[in-house]
Amino acid sequence: MRKRLIGIATAALLVAGIGQSNPNATGFRVQPYLLAPSQDGMTVVWFSTLETSGTLVVDGKTYTSSPQLVKDLEYSQLEESERPKYSDMFENKNVKHTVRISGLEAGQRYAYRVTQGNETVRGSLETAPSSDSRNPIRFVVLSDSETEPDGRTIRREWGNTKDSPAAQDANSTGRPAGLSKDSSGRELYFSTETEGYKENIRTIKERKPHFVAMPGDLVQGGGYQRAWDEFFYHNAGKFDTLLSNKPLLPALGNWEMFGARNGGYTPAAV
């Protein structure tokens, strides 16, 4: 198993994806997303393709990033071969920017802006409440997003098929009528994986959580960088920017430990 998978498995949830629709832009590859909330601060991470510093401004203070080229996240030969299929692939460089904000007040919301190259992204963050606060905390738990670029076209099989024990009483299981079928006669979901994830994010934003917890299986194979591209397209990129405004509390799942298209289902060697 390639070394890049180890790098992803140990820091998967801090790392690269895709930020906006122009893969040749000098700004963001991944737009800012929030991690590690505390009573007085937050960690803000973003990615670019150029090794130039960016700036973050919050509460009247300016932070300058120290760009870090992450070689383990480069596209593999297999991924490079897919460029003709995906016009939104980036230059094969992942430059990470991490800024830890401190000195904020507990339980307060702050506007921030991050400038990288020729682009500026604005968002907001809210610190954790003080230990004596009695205000309610609201959060959302979402797992098994298992993103990959093919999710834009894949519609999964509906669970209650004719071969499923649950299908013996279709009316009682809530199985909808009129499901479309593929060439093999399998009944399929109404939406693609990408459309479904977009709807999940829309619902999450309507609930107005303080943070989002994702206990594993964020992508369809942690060793496949294009799967991470797609994850950040949804969460800090051109599809949506949920994690630019709500901190992520992540955990590794079994899918993060697999090479997927870059190594099958062999766990990473530690």
Side-chain angles (χ1 to χ4, degrees):
M1 184 63 61
R2 299 170 56 198
K3 290 183 179 179
R4 70 188 294 273
L5 182 52
I6 298 174
I8 292 174
T10 55
L13 310 175
L14 304 180
V15 296
I18 214 160
Q20 73 291 319
S21 58
N22 180 6
N24 298 311
T26 61
F28 297 95
R29 177 186 173 110
V30 180
Q31 292 184 21
Y33 57 99
L34 308 178
L35 297 166
S38 68
Q39 292 181 353
D40 68 346
M42 189 82 67
T43 296
V44 183
V45 181
W46 67 94
F47 276 77
S48 63
T49 57
L50 298 181
E51 295 181 69
T52 55
S53 297
T55 58
L56 181 152
V57 179
V58 61
D59 195 34
K61 185 175 181 180
T62 299
Y63 299 81
T64 301
S65 70
S66 298
Q68 174 191 0
L69 178 64
V70 187
K71 298 287 290 183
D72 284 341
L73 303 182
E74 291 181 355
Y75 292 137
S76 66
Q77 184 176 354
L78 179 148
E79 289 168 291
E80 284 290 350
S81 72
E82 295 177 337
R83 276 191 187 275
K85 185 178 179 181
Y86 298 108
S87 61
D88 53 10
M89 283 181 65
F90 275 80
E91 178 186 348
N92 197 8
K93 289 183 69 176
N94 289 271
V95 181
K96 181 182 177 183
H97 305 257
T98 304
V99 172
R100 180 65 190 178
I101 302 169
S102 60
L104 304 180
E105 294 185 21
Q108 298 297 313
R109 178 162 292 279
Y110 295 86
Y112 74 87
R113 70 176 185 272
V114 177
T115 299
Q116 183 66 44
N118 61 355
E119 296 181 65
T120 296
V121 170
R122 299 176 185 273
S124 65
L125 59 88
E126 185 173 356
T127 53
S130 61
S131 57
D132 59 354
S133 172
R134 294 188 178 273
N135 292 329
I137 297 175
R138 188 178 183 89
F139 61 93
V140 167
V141 180
L142 172 71
S143 67
D144 294 83
S145 49
E146 296 182 11
T147 59
E148 61 174 322
D150 285 343
R152 303 178 197 183
T153 57
I154 291 174
R155 288 192 297 143
R156 294 289 180 179
E157 183 178 4
W158 193 268
N160 296 334
T161 64
K162 63 180 181 179
D163 298 322
S164 168
Q168 295 176 5
D169 187 355
N171 292 329
S172 68
T173 60
R175 178 165 162 259
L179 292 172
S180 63
K181 298 181 179 181
D182 65 10
S183 59
S184 300
R186 298 183 308 162
E187 293 177 308
L188 305 176
Y189 274 90
F190 293 107
S191 66
T192 65
E193 294 177 353
T194 295
E195 291 166 344
Y197 196 8
K198 287 180 179 180
E199 286 301 306
N200 275 313
I201 290 178
R202 182 185 62 80
T203 300
I204 290 171
K205 293 168 72 174
E206 287 178 351
R207 300 295 191 269
K208 296 180 169 56
H210 289 91
F211 64 87
V212 177
M214 292 188 174
D217 294 356
L218 280 68
V219 295
Q220 191 75 2
Y224 183 37
Q225 181 61 23
R226 291 289 290 122
W228 288 107
D229 287 352
E230 209 70 12
F231 176 81
F232 284 104
Y233 253 143
H234 283 285
N235 294 292
K238 69 177 184 178
F239 293 162
D240 214 307
T241 55
L242 171 67
L243 300 182
S244 296
N245 301 283
K246 305 294 182 181
L248 171 64
L249 274 64
L252 292 174
N254 63 304
W255 280 103
E256 277 71 62
M257 302 301 290
F258 291 144
R261 289 175 59 77
N262 286 314
Y265 300 100
T266 303
V270 178

